[in-house]
Structures are given as C-alpha cells and as structure tokens.
Amino acid sequence: MTLKIPWLVQNASIDSTLKHTSKSIKLLLEAGTILKERRQEYGISRNKLAERTRITPSVLEAIENGW
C-alpha cells in the first residue's frame, strides 16, 4: 500500500518552479547585459535605440539593469 502525502508532491513542484524561475532570471539578466554592451559597442544612445525599436528609454533602462 502506498501512502500519498500531498504536501510532499507540492514541495517538489515548488522546488522545480524555483529552479526554473532562477534560471529564467539569470537568462534575463544576461540578455540585459548583452543588450547594454552591444548598444554601447555600436555607440547608440538609449534614446536612439528607443526610436528604432519603439521601446521607451525607461523600459530599455529597466531591461539593461535587470529591473
């Protein structure tokens, strides 16, 4: 007979979710860093990039800084 303990399954799901969330956050931070490096490498201001991409400068700043 198998005893099913619901909170153990739930905790396993939480651990799995946290691992995926942590990995996602790392990828987003890395993407922001790459965006900033490339923008600076090409000598493009945040305002100019905003015009070209139709993303506001404040959103670009948030992406670059991982906010």
Side-chain angles (χ1 to χ4, degrees), residues 11-26:
N11 285 341
S13 296
I14 290 171
D15 288 342
S16 176
T17 300
L18 289 175
K19 287 178 186 175
H20 290 297
T21 301
S22 177
K23 186 175 181 179
S24 296
I25 290 171
K26 288 177 186 177

Side-chain angles (χ1 to χ4, degrees), residues 46-58:
R46 202 174 282 139
N47 289 330
K48 193 64 167 176
L49 183 59
E51 289 174 15
R52 292 180 181 186
T53 61
R54 297 185 182 194
I55 300 173
T56 64
S58 58

Side-chain angles (χ1 to χ4, degrees), residues 4-49:
K4 293 185 180 181
I5 304 172
W7 58 85
L8 291 179
V9 173
Q10 184 179 18
N11 285 341
S13 296
I14 290 171
D15 288 342
S16 176
T17 300
L18 289 175
K19 287 178 186 175
H20 290 297
T21 301
S22 177
K23 186 175 181 179
S24 296
I25 290 171
K26 288 177 186 177
L27 290 172
L28 289 171
L29 291 172
E30 184 179 345
T33 301
I34 291 169
L35 174 65
K36 186 174 185 175
E37 288 173 355
R38 294 299 177 268
R39 180 180 61 75
Q40 291 174 340
E41 182 180 310
Y42 287 101
I44 300 171
S45 70
R46 202 174 282 139
N47 289 330
K48 193 64 167 176
L49 183 59

